[in-house]
Amino acid sequence: MISPLEAWTARCAGLAEPDPAAVQRWQMARLREAVDHARGHGRFYAARLEGIDAHALASPADLARLPFTRPADLARDPFAFLCVPQAEVARVTTLSTSGSTGARKRIFSTAGDLARTVDFFAHGMRTLVGAGQEVLILLPGDTEHGIGRLLQTALARTGVRSRIRAAGWRARDALEAARTADCLVGMPADLLCLCRTDPGLRPGSVLLSADYAPPCIVEALRDAWDCRALTHFGMTETGFGCAVQCACAEGHHVRHPDLLLEIVDPATGRRLPPGSPGELVVTTLRREAMPLLRYRTGDLSRLVTGPCACGGVLPRLGRVEGRRENELPLGNGEFLSIHRLDDLLFAQPPVRAFEAELERTEGRPRLVLTVDAQGPLDRDAVAARLPSGLELAWRRSALDPFASPGKRRVRLLPSI
């Protein structure tokens, strides 16, 4: 089945069928409008884009004429990016920048911005579930325009029933609710915990979203539950949705009507050709409240331009690696991140959940791993793939990832 996002993109661009060159021309026209909108209505871009001729932006290569926008810019003065009157803002999302001690960012959305996200969700979810089926949304849904509610609205549009996790749910509550669902949507670590608690569960499909998805988790879900396990990449800054896999799982089909993606060298900022790994940079095309031009995400990926096995012809986003800003320096050029630990710990079949704490001492830094496991662990295999200067300590304890919602992090303990 060809990704429904291909036909959706064509319709948005006024095309009878997807055509990469025609879609690109349509995107460049939207880019020129976005530049004029950002410069004409927002303080940040009014200063940054002075002297730049938007009409000269004719191809993606011309994006290099625009300066980068960084998370620190957004955290420093979010209101400088606001391009509509505050009365037109339908949602404000406050979040920390990547890492454990980042500054707070505020992301503004209009009703139109939210409606476009719902539109993307409605088409992207058709790969996983159809009319008359039921989805269990194991993502936060406690706010009117949160990701869970937006997804629920999108599913209802296509005749799909859904249920959102309630506040205070633990793993046992999620597992009980999952028994009647055709599709589960949740964070990778949460879904793995359910899978290794009850490998006999049989959802037809699973979508991993809202955090880094290690390949070992995807494989574990497919093997144990005998289901389609696909991944979605999104960011709050872009309105949650960005790109989602089709059933062929050969890259992520992109939200082309709303986003223009680039890959750049993380060190130099130089644009890289398709297929080359580097840092993902995102430009929003139709965002009203807070347009972002060449926003450096810190996420590592690559662009895929060849045809997809599903029949899709538009460029796709490759597997998204862990975010560089989540890397904690250990000294001597060594780094540690929760994503690296996820790759190592979750690859061990007994592990249902784990937490990590890092102490920076006067001697060797000390990593304390608290692990919920149903059997023996290969501790030597983990230690062998961690920095040699890191002291490792292990604890065993029952853990419930649903008790601590949100993206996973290495907790930094006070230095001693």
Side-chain angles (χ1 to χ4, degrees), residues 26 59 133 159:
W26 183 85
S59 73
Q133 294 186 304

Side-chain angles (χ1 to χ4, degrees), residues 104 129 251 321:
R104 307 289 282 179
V129 69
E321 309 285 347

Side-chain angles (χ1 to χ4, degrees), residues 262-317:
E262 305 172 80
I263 299 294
V264 305
D265 184 299
T268 67
R270 180 176 61 88
R271 281 173 53 88
L272 298 175
S276 299
E279 181 181 355
L280 176 64
V281 175
V282 177
T283 295
T284 61
L285 297 177
R286 300 192 294 173
R287 194 157 175 79
E288 297 168 342
M290 182 177 270
L292 294 175
L293 305 178
R294 304 199 80 197
Y295 184 76
R296 297 193 64 156
T297 67
D299 290 295
L300 303 177
S301 188
R302 62 188 179 93
L303 294 180
V304 182
T305 55
C308 180
C310 76
V313 297
L314 300 177
R316 304 184 307 285
L317 182 68

Side-chain angles (χ1 to χ4, degrees), residues 220-238:
L221 295 174
R222 288 173 180 163
D223 292 345
W225 282 347
D226 191 25
C227 66
R228 281 178 295 160
L230 305 178
T231 59
H232 165 261
F233 170 75
M235 301 178 62
T236 306
E237 293 93 326
T238 62

Side-chain angles (χ1 to χ4, degrees), residues 143-353:
T143 57
E144 180 182 1
H145 298 303
I147 185 171
R149 295 284 186 88
L150 294 176
L151 180 55
Q152 188 173 53
T153 300
L155 291 166
R157 180 186 298 179
T158 61
V160 176
R161 304 185 310 277
S162 61
R163 181 181 179 186
I164 303 176
R165 67 180 283 182
W169 268 19
R170 296 297 183 259
R172 64 180 179 274
D173 305 303
L175 195 56
E176 189 60 32
R179 301 192 189 285
T180 60
D182 300 289
C183 174
L184 308 180
V185 179
M187 301 182 77
D190 293 355
L191 293 174
L192 182 70
C193 178
L194 298 186
C195 177
R196 288 182 171 165
T197 300
D198 186 356
L201 200 65
R202 287 294 178 270
S205 60
V206 171
L207 182 66
L208 290 76
S209 186
D211 205 355
Y212 170 64
C216 61
I217 289 185
V218 178
E219 294 170 5
L221 295 174
R222 288 173 180 163
D223 292 345
W225 282 347
D226 191 25
C227 66
R228 281 178 295 160
L230 305 178
T231 59
H232 165 261
F233 170 75
M235 301 178 62
T236 306
E237 293 93 326
T238 62
F240 301 119
C242 180
V244 65
Q245 289 181 321
C246 68
C248 299
E250 295 183 356
H252 299 78
H253 292 266
V254 177
R255 185 180 172 179
H256 289 296
D258 297 306
L259 302 173
L260 193 56
L261 307 185
E262 305 172 80
I263 299 294
V264 305
D265 184 299
T268 67
R270 180 176 61 88
R271 281 173 53 88
L272 298 175
S276 299
E279 181 181 355
L280 176 64
V281 175
V282 177
T283 295
T284 61
L285 297 177
R286 300 192 294 173
R287 194 157 175 79
E288 297 168 342
M290 182 177 270
L292 294 175
L293 305 178
R294 304 199 80 197
Y295 184 76
R296 297 193 64 156
T297 67
D299 290 295
L300 303 177
S301 188
R302 62 188 179 93
L303 294 180
V304 182
T305 55
C308 180
C310 76
V313 297
L314 300 177
R316 304 184 307 285
L317 182 68
R319 191 171 82 85
V320 180
E321 309 285 347
R323 184 166 294 186
R324 296 175 65 242
E325 291 181 1
N326 276 330
E327 296 178 342
L328 302 173
L330 300 176
N332 298 321
E334 298 278 10
F335 293 87
L336 180 71
S337 72
I338 189 63
H339 300 147
R340 185 174 181 179
L341 294 173
D342 284 350
D343 286 329
L344 294 177
L345 271 296
F346 288 137
Q348 299 209 22
V351 175
R352 292 194 298 191

